[in-house]
């Protein structure tokens, strides 16, 4: 059991997919201007990665090695398209919220990376756990970045104002003391810098992770 | 020893098999679910049009459509006429709301006739003219419906997008942005078409001045904002002759 | 003119790495040395230059709603656009394997240094992103699609070349130990992206606006000629 729990816990910190394995960066940057979007994306990735890992793991003995990348891509694309079609038919509102993420999930290298590195060589159960672990690790970073970008950029969390009212004339909370939102936090380059700082903090706490 | 799965023949067979399985699965699903999906899209169009003319269940600061169950009934109740302007000719067409604006724009590009749908709605004794618009944002398509009065003053707007950045460009479908358009003039003071510019550094951030043809942009969503400006200018301009006529008649 | 505009736009303004943040993973992972960065960058240009036009053809003649009309009228109503992701990915993956075979054959040293990263081009989201942008931006001709593919590729090449050069130099600097490697690369990329945002100002060039104005005028003229008919028809409304 110790081995299995390691599969979940490792990617949360010491083998984090974003800060250590350098996987799934694009989406982490694109959608973290709002906490809500970060959470939705995390849940979608959790689902696709866990199911995809299991499917690939079940197929691992019959996939021809020469075309394994095509096979992997097609498996994930098919999965995502099926989910998208079913949602469009039966939960249209939900599908509209998620449609933005469809393309991002298919091209998310965290999914391909885990297929290639883990699911191709391990049993379905272990692959499932690996998928859960890695997407949780991914979620942790997304949520931290989303939290800071939304808080500092728009002064809200999940769309609810937490720092007071910024409208001129009705100032309250922090804004009454002259605080202003940093609109720059909403721009994507700031996501890169926030992730850079997270890496800095993480590696200061765990010296073993420091590169050369 | 060579593994069975390394053989060329196996690889080719596997590839062919997979193409068939995946193709058949997707084709089956797509065609089986198509009626439901088209129905959902049809209802959504009705909801959008109703939203633009102010028939909605807005709560607080969030935009809420009328429910899908009510939509067809309310649509029949509020939308008095569905028109299609074709080559300057105005016709009645009860399926006008199903016209695919994307296809019509492509037709116009190819030199063919573009059919312009226009919906005439009535609510509390006021007449609304609702026109669909469509353009490009940062990532993908953006579109919307704009409700106008006889003087081409915006009475309501609904915008939507396929894949703009959440938290930035995606906010064009938030009420704080859409409501800014209400009351804005599309024409300048001389009656010529000017459009509405989604402007950065707007001198009028609370949007008090309705005749400046400007609304405040969303921070960090410049390209999406420019897309909104462009689609309003390009698509709504086509309706100008119709409104000029309407005026001349009065 | 259109080609030059699209070309520079796709290199600088819509730069794959700095504006849309696509292809970040390989960008960060393979930018330690300039030579490998150049190799991967060249491969990306090559793959984009082939796959974008190829996918354009697929999109125009097979996938778009009504695209099958060249087969005959009865096929005109088919809409295969739900297959676009899969078709695009299949084209890309095939092309990447092709490039892999060619590079292995003609430049074993490059093949060795690129190592496992060549297959990674298939999952480089910049490549699929290129094809999807081509589709969603409704690029009009095959020639423009090629220009767009090459331009985006060069943009990506430029980005990885720049960061690799900076990373080679930064080894001589006194970076805080915990920030060395990945951390500082993230922050530098962020700063570079802020720099690239200044190109966004070029986007509002007057050219496009003028063109739309003209076509709009033509359309209004057309409409004016028939205003009489509108007048007759508007009776229904009053």
């Amino acid at each position: 059991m110790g081995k299995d729990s390691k599969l979940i816990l490792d990617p949360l910190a010491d083998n984090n997919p974003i800060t250590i394995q350098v996987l799934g960066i694009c989406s982490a940057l694109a959608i973290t201007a709002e906490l809500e979007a970060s959470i939705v994306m995390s849940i979608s990735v959790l689902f696709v990665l866990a199911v995809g890992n299991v499917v690939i793991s079940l197929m691992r003995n019959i996939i021809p090695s020469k075309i394994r990348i095509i096979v992997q891509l097609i498996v994930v694309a098919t999965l995502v398209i099926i989910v998208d079609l079913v949602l469009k038919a039966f939960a249209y509102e939900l599908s509209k919220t998620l449609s933005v993420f469809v393309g991002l999930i298919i091209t998310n290298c965290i999914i391909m990376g885990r297929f290639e590195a883990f699911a191709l060589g391990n049993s379905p159960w272990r692959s499932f756990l690996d998928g859960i672990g890695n997407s949780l690790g991914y979620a942790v970073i997304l949520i931290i970045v989303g939290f800071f970008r939304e808080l500092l950029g728009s002064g809200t969390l999940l769309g609810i104002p937490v720092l007071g009212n910024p409208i001129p004339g009705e100032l309250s909370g922090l804004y009454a003391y002259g605080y202003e939102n940093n609109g720059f936090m909403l721009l994507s380059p700031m996501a890169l810098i926030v992730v850079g700082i997270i890496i800095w903090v993480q590696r200061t706490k765990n010296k073993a992770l420091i590169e050369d | 020893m060579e593994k069975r799965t390394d053989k060329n023949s196996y690889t080719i067979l596997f590839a062919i098999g997979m193409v068939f399985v995946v193709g058949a699965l997707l084709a089956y699903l797509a065609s089986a679910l198509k009626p439901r999906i088209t129905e959902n899209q049809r209802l959504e169009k009705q909801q959008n049009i109703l939203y633009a003319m102010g028939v909605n269940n807005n709560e607080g600061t969030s935009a809420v459509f009328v429910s899908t169950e009510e939509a067809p009934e309310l649509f029949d109740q509020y939308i008095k006429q569905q028109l299609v302007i074709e080559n300057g000719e105005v016709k009645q067409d009860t399926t006008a709301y199903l016209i695919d604006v994307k296809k019509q724009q492509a037709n116009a590009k190819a030199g063919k006739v573009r059919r312009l749908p226009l919906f005439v709605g009535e609510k509390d004794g006021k007449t609304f003219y609702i026109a669909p618009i469509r353009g490009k944002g940062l990532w993908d398509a953006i579109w919307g419906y704009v409700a106008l009065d006889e003087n081409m003053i915006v009475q309501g707007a609904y915008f939507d997008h396929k894949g703009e950045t959440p938290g930035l460009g995606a906010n064009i479908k938030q009420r704080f942005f859409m409501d800014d358009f209400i009351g804005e003039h599309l024409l300048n003071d001389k009656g010529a078409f000017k459009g509405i510019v989604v402007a950065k550094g707007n001198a009028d951030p609370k949007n008090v001045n309705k005749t400046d043809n400007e609304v405040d942009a969303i921070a960090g969503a410049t390209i999406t904002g420019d897309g909104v400006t462009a689609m309003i200018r390009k698509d709504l301009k086509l309706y100008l002759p119709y409104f000029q006529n309407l005026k001349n008649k009065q | 003119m259109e080609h030059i505009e699209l070309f520079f736009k796709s290199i600088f303004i819509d730069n794959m790495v700095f504006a849309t943040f696509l292809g970040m993973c390989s960008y960060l992972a393979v930018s330690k040395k300039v030579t490998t960065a150049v190799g991967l960058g060249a491969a990306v240009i090559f793959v984009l230059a082939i796959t974008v036009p190829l996918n354009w053809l697929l999109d125009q003649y097979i996938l778009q709603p009504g695209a099958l009309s060249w087969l005959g009228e009865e096929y005109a109503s088919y809409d295969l656009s739900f297959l676009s992701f899969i078709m695009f990915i299949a084209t890309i993956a095939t092309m990447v394997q092709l490039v892999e075979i060619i590079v292995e054959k003609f430049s074993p040293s490059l093949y060795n240094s690129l190592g496992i990263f060549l297959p990674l081009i298939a999952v480089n989201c910049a490549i699929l992103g290129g094809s999807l942008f081509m589709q969603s931006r409704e690029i009009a001709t095959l020639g423009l699609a090629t220009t767009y593919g090459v331009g985006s590729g060069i943009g990506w090449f430029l980005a990885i070349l720049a960061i690799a050069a900076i990373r080679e130099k930064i080894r001589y600097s006194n970076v805080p130990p915990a920030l060395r490697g990945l951390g500082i690369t993230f922050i530098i990329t962020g700063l570079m992206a802020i720099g690239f945002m200044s190109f966004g100002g070029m986007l509002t060039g007057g050219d496009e606006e003028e063109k739309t104005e003209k076509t709009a005028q033509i359309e209004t003229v057309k409409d004016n000629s028939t205003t009489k008919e509108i007048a007759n028809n508007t009776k229904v409304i009053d």
Side-chain angles (χ1 to χ4, degrees), chain B residues 95-180:
Chain B
T95 56
Y97 74 103
L98 295 174
I99 287 177
D100 183 358
V101 181
K102 183 182 172 187
K103 214 182 247 168
Q104 298 304 324
Q105 282 176 342
N107 278 353
K109 236 184 210 163
K112 282 187 253 176
V113 178
R114 176 168 173 184
R115 303 178 71 207
L116 295 167
L118 183 71
F119 316 102
V120 184
E122 249 178 58
K123 191 187 148 204
D124 305 331
K126 238 168 83 177
T127 312
F128 296 83
Y129 302 88
I130 304 143
I133 52 178
R134 189 183 168 90
K136 271 175 259 179
L138 170 63
W139 299 96
D140 213 320
I142 50 176
W143 61 90
Y145 291 87
V146 180
L148 305 166
D149 70 358
E150 307 76 35
N151 300 316
M152 290 193 99
I153 296 171
V154 179
Q155 302 298 314
Y158 176 75
F159 300 115
D160 206 345
H161 61 95
K162 193 167 170 201
E164 296 308 294
T165 320
L168 301 175
N171 282 350
I172 58 168
K173 61 182 291 191
Q174 296 288 328
R175 261 192 83 183
F176 75 83
F177 182 72
M178 299 192 295
D179 287 0
D180 263 5

Side-chain angles (χ1 to χ4, degrees), chain B residues 24-201:
Chain B
L25 186 69
L26 284 180
Y28 170 74
L29 260 180
S31 53
L33 297 176
K34 201 171 179 196
R36 285 196 77 110
I37 294 174
T38 351
E39 173 68 7
N40 282 334
Q41 285 166 341
R42 190 179 72 86
L43 291 173
E44 190 198 359
K45 279 183 179 169
Q46 295 190 335
Q47 287 173 317
N48 289 351
I49 294 169
L50 287 171
Y51 183 92
M53 65 174 284
V55 182
N56 49 46
N57 298 337
N58 279 350
E59 268 174 44
T61 52
S62 48
V64 186
F65 290 141
V66 295
S67 73
T68 41
E69 292 82 37
E70 293 170 307
E73 196 185 318
L74 289 171
F75 191 76
D76 288 342
Q77 183 188 334
Y78 284 107
I79 302 296
K80 300 296 177 200
Q81 286 181 346
Q82 298 193 50
L83 306 173
V84 179
I85 306 172
E86 212 174 328
N87 254 345
E89 214 174 307
V90 182
K91 288 180 202 152
Q92 298 241 26
D93 184 349
T94 49
T95 56
Y97 74 103
L98 295 174
I99 287 177
D100 183 358
V101 181
K102 183 182 172 187
K103 214 182 247 168
Q104 298 304 324
Q105 282 176 342
N107 278 353
K109 236 184 210 163
K112 282 187 253 176
V113 178
R114 176 168 173 184
R115 303 178 71 207
L116 295 167
L118 183 71
F119 316 102
V120 184
E122 249 178 58
K123 191 187 148 204
D124 305 331
K126 238 168 83 177
T127 312
F128 296 83
Y129 302 88
I130 304 143
I133 52 178
R134 189 183 168 90
K136 271 175 259 179
L138 170 63
W139 299 96
D140 213 320
I142 50 176
W143 61 90
Y145 291 87
V146 180
L148 305 166
D149 70 358
E150 307 76 35
N151 300 316
M152 290 193 99
I153 296 171
V154 179
Q155 302 298 314
Y158 176 75
F159 300 115
D160 206 345
H161 61 95
K162 193 167 170 201
E164 296 308 294
T165 320
L168 301 175
N171 282 350
I172 58 168
K173 61 182 291 191
Q174 296 288 328
R175 261 192 83 183
F176 75 83
F177 182 72
M178 299 192 295
D179 287 0
D180 263 5
F181 284 82
I182 297 175
E184 284 287 338
H185 291 238
L186 275 173
L187 308 175
N188 64 12
D189 44 6
K190 293 188 193 85
F193 187 87
K194 197 171 168 202
I196 297 172
V197 178
V198 179
K200 275 193 290 189

Side-chain angles (χ1 to χ4, degrees), chain A residues 184-198:
Chain A
F184 212 55
M185 289 301 288
L186 291 176
L187 303 179
S188 322
M190 285 312 288
L192 278 162
I193 293 175
V194 174
V195 175
I197 293 169
I198 294 176

Side-chain angles (χ1 to χ4, degrees), chain B residues 236-249:
Chain B
L236 289 184
K237 189 169 187 169
L238 302 176
Y239 291 90
L240 183 63
Y242 177 84
F243 284 95
Q244 282 172 339
N245 256 298
L246 214 57
K247 248 197 131 99
N248 294 341
K249 293 275 293 176

Side-chain angles (χ1 to χ4, degrees), chain C residues 8 22 26 37-38 44 65 76 89 94 103 110 122 126 134 152 170 179 217:
Chain C
F8 283 104
L22 291 176
S26 26
V38 168
V44 166
I89 286 173
T94 321
V103 172
L110 183 63
M134 173 273 297
S152 315
I170 216 162
L179 209 50
Q217 266 168 15

Side-chain angles (χ1 to χ4, degrees), chain C residues 27-48:
Chain C
Y27 164 87
L28 290 166
V30 197
S31 58
K32 280 189 186 126
K33 274 164 75 187
V34 171
T35 41
T36 33
V38 168
L40 187 69
V44 166
I45 297 182
F46 182 71
V47 174
L48 266 173

